[in-house]
Structure formats: C-alpha cells, structure tokens
Amino acid sequence: MWRQIAAVLVVVGLVTGITHYFRISFVAKASFAFESGDVMAAMLGMWIALLGGLISRRYGFALAVAGTYLLMCCLAVYFISRFLDDDFAGAFALNGWNIAVYVLGGMLGASVGVFIGSGRRRARERVLPGA
C-alpha cells in the first residue's frame, strides 16, 4: 500500500514540478494540432510513469496513472473551454487525439516500469528463496 502511495506522489510531484519549471505539459488547444510540444509532454509523461511503475510494482498502478493524466487533461480542456466560450464536450473532442496519446503513453510507461520492477523481484526470489 505504501509503495503505491509513494509511486503516485512521485508521479504527481514530478509531473507538476517539471510542468512548472520547464513549461512542458499537456496543453489543450483551440484547434487540432499535434506539435513537438505534445510529443515532448507525452514522452516525458511516459518516462515519469515508468519511474512510478518501478516503485509501485503493481499493474493496477497503470490505471492510477491513466486517471491522473486524464484528470490533468480535463483540467486543461476545462480552462480552454472557459476562454473559448465553448462547451466542455466540444473542446474535449477537439483535443481527443492529444489526450489519448498522453494518457496511453503514461499507461505504457507505467506498465513497462512494473514489468521491469517485478522482473528484478522474480530474479531475486530465484536466487534467494523466500526473499
């Protein structure tokens, strides 16, 4: 339980800190565009989720990452819909592909991190039974 809480705090803390410091994050747009900033945000989110997966070592963590990233995307879409005087659903649909790439990249990173983390544990159990 403590591993999962620590993993979520690491992911949320790193995403928030890096977003603020480097200005690299998911950005909702008024028209569809998939630019280099979107690729950087998705790759950065994937690597941060991979680190969280190494800490967590449970595949359910990928769902927590997906929920967290989706919440961040919904907040960005909410703010862009407020300034565009558009409804939330329309702005969400406009940014749907970018959101999908960001969320699925995070899930992929978390799953790979869990796979790597659990592989180390299985190797240790083969060498030291009962560890």
Side-chain angles (χ1 to χ4, degrees), residues 31-105:
S31 62
F32 176 74
F34 193 74
E35 301 168 343
S36 62
D38 298 320
V39 174
M40 283 295 292
M43 294 300 290
L44 183 66
M46 185 177 73
W47 283 105
I48 292 172
L50 189 138
L51 177 64
L54 284 172
I55 295 170
S56 173
R57 294 186 186 166
R58 295 194 189 252
Y59 284 105
F61 178 70
L63 295 176
V65 168
T68 303
Y69 285 5
L70 186 62
L71 178 66
M72 290 178 190
C73 293
C74 286
L75 285 172
V77 169
Y78 171 75
F79 286 115
I80 195 75
S81 68
R82 296 275 297 181
F83 289 113
L84 292 177
D85 294 329
D86 194 9
D87 61 336
F88 179 79
F92 191 85
L94 189 67
N95 292 285
W97 287 108
N98 296 352
I99 293 170
V101 168
Y102 190 62
V103 171
L104 291 175

